[in-house]
Structures are given as structure tokens and as C-alpha cells.
Amino acid sequence: MRKPLIAGNWKMHNTLVEARALVAGVVERLDESADVDVLMCPPVQLLFPMAKAVVGSKIMLGAQNVHEEQSGAFTGEVSVAMLKDTGCSHILVGHSERRHIFGEMGDRIAKKVRAVVQGGLTAIYCIGETLEDREAGRTMAVIDQQIDEVLTGDIPADQLIVAYEPVWAIGTGKTASPEQAQEVHAHIRSRLVDVYDAGKAEKLRILYGGSVKPGNAASILAQPDIDGALVGGACLVAEDFAAIISAVLTAA
Ligand code: 13P
């Protein structure tokens, strides 16, 4: 069985004081013995202080972005090794905001995923279709393209997590129905069988993201191929994030 993972993507939110309060609020509500992994992805400058804040809890830390090169003249960027220094274990790659606001394309994203796994960390590879794609019936074609341009069998399966985030559901309050999400997750898993093999694909976690809230988390997380959530807005409120973590246990 795949252990569920609830990940919070803070995006560009929280100063140090706010971040400490949020982590303390989540830690306070967390059942340490529960069978669920918990990850928080703060902005990069908070990774060092948050590494201290999570000591003694099961919370793992991740980064929201990385540069694909190991070092060099890349003003404003950070490398995998630098992120590793902070104690983080996961890095989001290919988030739709990176794709659509910052123009990151498939070949660059593919290099980033490789840099992450070569550096010994786990890549959370984010994919998803726009509303235009969905309405034109292109959802699976877009997903296939995003898988084909980045994922190959040489990427260690145990250092990869896929996050399905339909762009139209991110920050909009619209969520894919559990059935819509399950349909895409099952499709992604079938494509992972082609990339790896059935055994590895069965073990790989596929997260759902897009307006996941305490009220809709249980029904989404109950779907057979949905192995957790990548949460944006709701992860900024300790009570809500903790409620989503609890929801995955009731959904199991
Ligand atoms: P929201 O939960 O705010 O829709 O954001 C989802 C997301 O982009 C997580 O990476």
C-alpha cells in the first residue's frame, strides 16, 4: 500500500514570524503516530529556520523550485546542493505557476527533475491541463505530453512523486470532482507502467492538487489512485492543514 502524503505549498506567503506560528499550530494538532507523511514547502529563505521549527515532529520540508545547474553565474537562483544544505528532502518541479508565469518549458523541467534526483532528493513533478485543454477534450493528451517530455525509466521511481494539479482548479475554489480526478490519476498510473513497470508504478505516489480544503479532502483522498494532496491556500491555516491530514486517515 502507498503511504499517503499531504504536502503544503506555501507559495509566496509567510514571513518568519507567521511561519513559526503556522508550523507550531500544525505540530500541535498532528498525530505523530498516524500513517501519513507530511511535507511543508515554504519559500526558500524560510527553509533553515523551519528546519529548526519542525525538529521532533514528523514534518518534512521541501522547496518550491530549483535551478537545474549545480552552480554558476545564475543570479537569484539556488541549486539542489544548496537546498540539500537546509535539510529539505523534496523539491516541487514544474508547478503550473512556474510554467505559466515564469515560462518554464518541458526541456528545462526535465533537467530540473534530473538535477533533483541526481542530488539525492525527491522530485514532486507537477502536471495538469488548463481549462481550455479540458474543454477541448485534450486533458489526457496534455498529461501524456507532460509525462513523455520529462519522465524516463532512468529516474529512480523511489525519488519521484507525481502531482496532478488541473490548472483550472488552482486557487479558484473549483475542484475536480473525485471521479474526474480519479480518472486522470488512473491514466497517469497507466502511463507510469509504460515508463517503469507495473510493480514500480503501483508504488509511486500521485498527489492531487487544486483547491483541496477540509470539506472536500476526504472524498478526493478516498479515490484508489489518489495518494495524497498538494495543498495551496488551505495549508496556510494550521487548523485547515491539520484537518486535511486527518481527512486522509478517515478516507483510507
Ligand atoms: P490551491 O490549493 O490554493 O488551489 O493551490 C494548489 C496548488 O497550486 C498547490 O501546489
Side-chain angles (χ1 to χ4, degrees):
M1 267 309 280
R2 298 176 292 269
K3 188 173 182 182
L5 167 65
I6 303 297
N9 175 7
W10 294 12
K11 308 192 179 182
M12 198 172 75
H13 292 284
N14 290 330
T15 60
L16 180 56
V17 170
E18 292 163 343
R20 285 197 173 124
L22 174 57
V23 169
V26 174
V27 168
E28 195 182 288
R29 293 171 173 84
L30 204 58
D31 174 359
E32 284 293 326
S33 63
D35 192 28
V36 52
D37 285 334
V38 179
L39 177 74
M40 284 179 153
C41 303
V44 69
Q45 93 289 359
L46 289 173
L47 282 168
F48 271 117
M50 291 309 101
K52 261 193 183 169
V54 299
V55 168
S57 87
K58 67 195 289 177
I59 300 173
M60 301 178 287
L61 293 176
Q64 300 173 16
N65 183 33
V66 69
H67 194 273
E68 62 271 28
E69 298 295 335
Q70 290 180 7
S71 62
F74 302 106
T75 301
E77 297 289 327
V78 293
S79 70
V80 173
M82 292 168 188
L83 292 173
K84 212 169 162 180
D85 272 350
T86 70
C88 83
S89 50
H90 294 66
I91 304 180
L92 303 181
V93 182
H95 190 278
S96 80
E97 286 147 20
R98 300 298 317 168
R99 293 177 191 262
H100 296 113
I101 304 173
F102 301 102
E104 284 187 17
M105 306 295 281
D107 56 341
R108 183 115 198 258
I109 295 170
K111 285 182 189 158
K112 289 187 181 204
V113 168
R114 275 163 186 75
V116 172
V117 300
Q118 278 161 15
L121 301 187
T122 296
I124 302 183
Y125 176 45
C126 306
I127 59 178
E129 81 287 3
T130 63
L131 186 59
E132 198 187 345
D133 293 327
R134 178 159 282 267
E135 287 178 347
R138 286 197 301 261
T139 298
M140 300 311 181
V142 168
I143 296 294
D144 285 350
Q145 188 191 337
Q146 290 171 335
I147 289 176
D148 291 345
E149 63 196 8
V150 172
L151 299 185
T152 48
D154 59 324
I155 296 167
D158 59 357
Q159 284 173 264
L160 178 72
I161 293 169
V162 177
Y164 169 57
E165 299 202 300
V167 180
W168 49 273
I170 296 177
T172 58
K174 287 185 198 157
T175 323
S177 68
E179 296 73 25
Q180 275 176 325
Q182 166 58 25
E183 185 189 17
V184 180
H185 279 236
H187 180 79
I188 294 169
R189 199 174 305 284
S190 74
R191 294 304 319 279
L192 291 171
V193 173
D194 301 336
V195 174
Y196 295 102
D197 56 47
K200 282 184 182 162
E202 196 51 40
K203 285 194 186 131
L204 248 152
R205 291 187 285 194
I206 308 174
L207 311 181
Y208 171 79
S211 298
V212 175
K213 309 278 179 223
N216 61 25
S219 59
I220 293 171
L221 294 167
Q223 299 300 312
D225 287 293
I226 301 184
D227 309 311
L230 181 53
V231 185
C235 82
L236 301 173
V237 179
E239 263 183 315
D240 290 354
F241 192 55
I244 293 169
I245 297 166
S246 302
V248 80
L249 300 168
T250 40

